[in-house]
Amino acid sequence: MRHFRHSLRVIRKNPGVSTLSITSLVLAITLNAVIFSLVDWLWLSPSPYESPQGVVRVFASSDRISMGSFSWPDYETVRDRAESVTGLAAVQHRGASLVGDEYSIDLLADVVSRNFFDVLGATAHLGTMFSEGDPLDIQTQPMVVISHSLWQRHYSGDPDIIGKTVQITGRDRMVAGVAPASFYGLNRLVPIDVWFPVETWGNPEERVSREFRDFYLIGRLQPGIEAASAEAEIETFMRQLELQDLSTRTDQRALVQTEVKYQNSQSSSIGVLLFAIVGAVLLIACANVSGLMLARSVTRQREMAVRLATGANRGHLIRQMLAEGLMLSGIAVVISLLLANWILHLLPNLMPSVPYYIEFGFSLDERTIFFALILTLFTTALTGLLPALNASRPDLVPLLKGGVIQTGRGGTRTGSLNLLVTGQFALAFVLIASSGLLMRSFNQVYDIDPGFNRNDILIAQIYPPGGRNEAASFSIDLLERVRSLPGVMNATVSRHVPFFPSGGGATRRVYVPDSGEGWSESGRAIKFNLVEQEYFRTLDITILRGREFTGADNSNSAPVIMVNETMAETYWPGEDPIGRTVILNGPGEESVEIVGLVPDGKYNNMEEEAEPYFYMPLGQLPWWDYLLLVYTGGDTGPLVEPIRQEIRAMNSEISIFPMTTLYQLMRDKSYDRELLMWLALFFTGLGVILAATGLFGVITYTVTRRTHEFGVRMALGAQKSDVMRLIIRLGGRLVLLGLMVGIPLSLVTGRLMRSMLFGVAPIDPMSLLTAFAVVVAVSLFATIVPGLRATEVDPLVVIRTE
């Protein structure tokens, strides 16, 4: 306590140094606490599954897709024959809708096998969960299990919800149970709202066909069995089933991953990068504080000498200095926790808007607080140990006789300061170069041609009442109403739109003529879209060859499609695809003529590779639901309410979802990359400021201690420019050493970031040159400002004082 009381007096006597030290630590500890909370929520928090160490995920892997899915018949085969895995369950990710007061609500849904909850050990908060032991009459009833979050936010935690009928996706379903609050499904970031049993969901044909491969498998290893052994066993079944990638016709292999390995493989590299960046900022801040304390310890040499002469030992002095460092870190961590709590509450408002609900799980919990306290001890040792060791061994005799405090032009103390500054600028260079790579990568993504020329398209999701024919009539009437609205330049409908959360399109098997002698025996699964005739004009998609769809392409006319360039090049390389015919779904079906060729586009995200894609007219294949696309040529906001009123006027009970724009969908798809770039730039900026502050402090300290020397030099004829060059050489030497360390480190870092980059090489000359220019500019500023002060020294005053 005596040490701490003395530390408080020292802090009060040196408000400038103390404030700068605390501010540096607050910035670093706050950032590390916030990033830890995010990473802990996404990857480190305990699994909601019972005995998670035995949980594994099973995938069908190919050269194109490393984690592919299975069909229901293939799942049943693997489940029944695999002896190394017990309780294998199947999960299909889907979407659902729930009618709301003003807008309908998008829900994230999982269609699961009856044993899903039993396999993962999830027990109901209310009611019951699905189980293989359910009676047959129960299994045929349309029932659902809802999440604890949906129960709270939509049904206000109604304890009588069990047994009630709710309308989800246009069908009445009885609520069988409410899942526990900790159970979110298979993905923590996008928790599931509702679970459907596979027996009462969708088209029964999907459960008998091996073509519908939408089920992901999760199960438990038998005791004593390793994941590799299970993978080898399942591999034999897959060979017997002759499973192939439907898009490339290549064989598929088994991939079995433990739950821990799977979660780490998803986005752990982003967490590691963020931790590395804020860790570098922390090291720069610690070096800053250590440098300040080291410089201050030089001015306290006489104090330390007196303490040693009056009986204190070196250990006592070291404890005193460490107590001062702990006091600074303690004050910083209290402020940091308050600031981190505010930032964590603010973060959800900065996240992109999505059509479904996300419950953010990061907060200032006990794990984050414990991490911050450990960080405080680490920063105390890192910032206080070197100054304590230096201050605890002063030269007693000269100091006690009243001699000048010894600093010298070199020596251990000055060398330690120089080493700290060198390390700061090495880390700052790495941060700038890494941020440059992320920025260049983000710009490369945005420079990609998405295949259409308009993104100011207003999009409304429509679920018309009735079946396909009623939906088709509804869309025709709706388009007439919307196109007549003031400000609407064009409008169309389609089943899909690029970058929409539901994906870039369903797939159909495409069969092409085989050398003109017949149809190939095995087709390829290719994505497609159903569009109305004005679709290409609305999005301003160029028709490269042939024609677009017209009103004549209806159920009474011959079926036609339009294909993209990659599909044309895949089947008819170097030839004109117009007039060619293909068969959809399988041999024996009616042939379909290709009437148009359009450019390749981006259908799911901006970074995907070009793939075959085709379009079918909605008039020939009506659908139950679709997207309304409205082009205004300007601001889309004023048209939201008029369009909503027109839809309600046609049917007051229709499900209407919140509207968005194509531009927003594009932004949302690359938001993670954009957010990572801005975070890296922000953290890098802080790191550079801290490094510049450290250099500024060292140069200021050097100028102060060498004032007499500069006065003598100027008295002997040195010019102000000579003194300035001397100081610039001093700062430049430190920065040069930092660059010599930072450049190799940045090259290694770039290679480690390879998987996060797009269109940019890990060793990017532009990023390195930018980092070099920024470091040099910042170091010059941090050197010249105290250097100007040194050139204002009056030689006569200095000599008289001495």
Side-chain angles (χ1 to χ4, degrees), residues 188-230:
R188 195 189 305 267
L189 183 60
V190 282
I192 298 301
D193 297 303
V194 59
W195 290 269
F196 298 89
V198 68
E199 296 87 357
T200 60
W201 170 270
N203 188 349
E205 294 180 1
E206 295 184 9
R207 296 193 299 277
V208 297
S209 172
R210 296 182 63 190
E211 302 296 323
F212 294 96
R213 299 184 182 178
D214 293 329
F215 289 93
Y216 293 90
L217 311 188
I218 188 167
R220 290 185 179 275
L221 292 173
Q222 293 279 15
I225 301 295
E226 298 293 331
S229 301

Side-chain angles (χ1 to χ4, degrees), residues 14-298:
N14 301 271
V17 173
S18 300
T19 300
L20 186 57
S21 300
I22 292 173
T23 302
S24 298
L25 291 177
V26 164
L27 291 174
I29 295 175
T30 300
L31 296 179
N32 276 271
V34 169
I35 295 302
F36 174 81
S37 182
L38 291 173
V39 173
D40 180 56
W41 167 52
L42 290 174
W43 303 297
L44 303 180
S45 293
S47 172
Y49 311 144
E50 179 182 327
S51 303
Q53 63 275 9
V55 176
V56 292
R57 302 203 186 202
V58 182
F59 301 99
S61 175
S62 68
D63 295 335
R64 186 178 65 93
I65 301 177
S66 60
M67 297 181 180
S69 49
F70 291 82
S71 68
W72 182 262
D74 293 333
Y75 153 68
E76 290 182 316
T77 300
V78 175
R79 179 198 61 191
D80 296 339
R81 298 176 61 181
E83 298 180 356
S84 57
V85 181
T86 179
L88 194 65
V91 185
Q92 184 186 51
H93 304 309
R94 302 298 292 261
S97 62
L98 186 64
V99 177
D101 295 333
E102 182 178 5
Y103 286 106
S104 295
I105 304 170
D106 269 316
L107 301 179
L108 292 174
D110 270 355
V111 180
V112 299
S113 56
R114 284 266 163 191
N115 62 342
F116 175 75
F117 296 107
D118 291 334
V119 168
L120 298 181
T123 57
H125 177 78
L126 286 178
T128 61
M129 311 292 248
F130 311 135
S131 174
E132 287 184 309
D134 292 336
L136 290 179
D137 58 332
I138 296 294
Q139 294 188 21
T140 57
Q141 293 183 21
M143 306 174 71
V144 295
V145 170
I146 63 175
S147 70
H148 191 276
S149 173
L150 181 64
W151 175 57
Q152 288 287 342
R153 69 179 190 268
H154 193 76
Y155 298 105
S156 303
D158 180 9
D160 298 323
I161 188 67
I162 304 303
K164 286 188 176 181
T165 299
V166 297
Q167 190 178 69
I168 299 180
T169 316
R171 184 178 180 185
D172 290 337
R173 300 178 186 273
M174 188 181 74
V175 178
V178 176
S182 61
F183 191 80
Y184 50 77
L186 301 186
N187 192 323
R188 195 189 305 267
L189 183 60
V190 282
I192 298 301
D193 297 303
V194 59
W195 290 269
F196 298 89
V198 68
E199 296 87 357
T200 60
W201 170 270
N203 188 349
E205 294 180 1
E206 295 184 9
R207 296 193 299 277
V208 297
S209 172
R210 296 182 63 190
E211 302 296 323
F212 294 96
R213 299 184 182 178
D214 293 329
F215 289 93
Y216 293 90
L217 311 188
I218 188 167
R220 290 185 179 275
L221 292 173
Q222 293 279 15
I225 301 295
E226 298 293 331
S229 301
E231 183 172 289
E233 181 191 28
I234 295 174
E235 180 79 30
T236 61
F237 305 149
M238 293 182 63
R239 289 202 190 102
Q240 295 169 7
L241 293 171
E242 297 181 347
L243 291 186
Q244 290 186 326
D245 187 319
L246 297 179
S247 297
T248 60
R249 309 307 308 176
T250 56
D251 292 336
Q252 289 183 305
R253 306 173 298 277
L255 174 64
V256 178
Q257 284 191 347
T258 64
E259 182 65 14
V260 173
K261 184 176 181 180
Y262 171 79
Q263 293 294 345
N264 289 339
S265 68
Q266 293 306 291
S267 300
S268 59
S269 56
I270 297 178
V272 170
L273 177 62
L274 289 175
F275 259 135
I277 291 174
V278 295
V281 174
L282 178 66
L283 290 176
I284 292 174
C286 289
N288 222 2
V289 176
S290 184
L292 290 170
M293 295 182 67
L294 192 61
R296 193 177 65 185
S297 70
V298 175

Side-chain angles (χ1 to χ4, degrees), residues 189 213 225 294 330 338 375 378 381 443 465 476 487 539 564-565 571 634 640 700 754:
L189 183 60
R213 299 184 182 178
I225 301 295
L294 192 61
L338 295 174
L375 210 59
F378 172 76
N443 290 334
I476 294 174
L539 271 67
N564 70 349
E565 292 176 285
Y571 290 113
V640 170
T700 301
R754 184 190 300 269

Side-chain angles (χ1 to χ4, degrees), residues 675-732:
L675 180 62
L676 182 62
M677 178 195 70
W678 284 115
L679 285 175
L681 287 174
F682 175 70
F683 297 151
T684 298
L686 289 179
V688 171
I689 292 173
L690 291 173
T693 304
L695 179 61
F696 180 87
V698 168
I699 298 299
T700 301
Y701 164 76
T702 302
V703 168
T704 302
R705 307 314 303 170
R706 296 175 65 179
T707 299
H708 175 70
E709 174 194 339
F710 295 148
V712 172
R713 285 176 178 272
M714 296 178 70
L716 295 176
Q719 302 297 315
K720 291 184 178 182
S721 58
D722 298 324
V723 175
M724 179 61 75
R725 280 196 296 271
L726 180 66
I727 296 172
I728 291 177
R729 279 201 301 271
L730 173 63

Side-chain angles (χ1 to χ4, degrees), residues 763-776:
I763 301 177
D764 180 47
M766 182 64 70
S767 299
L768 295 175
L769 287 174
T770 302
F772 180 84
V774 172
V775 167
V776 170

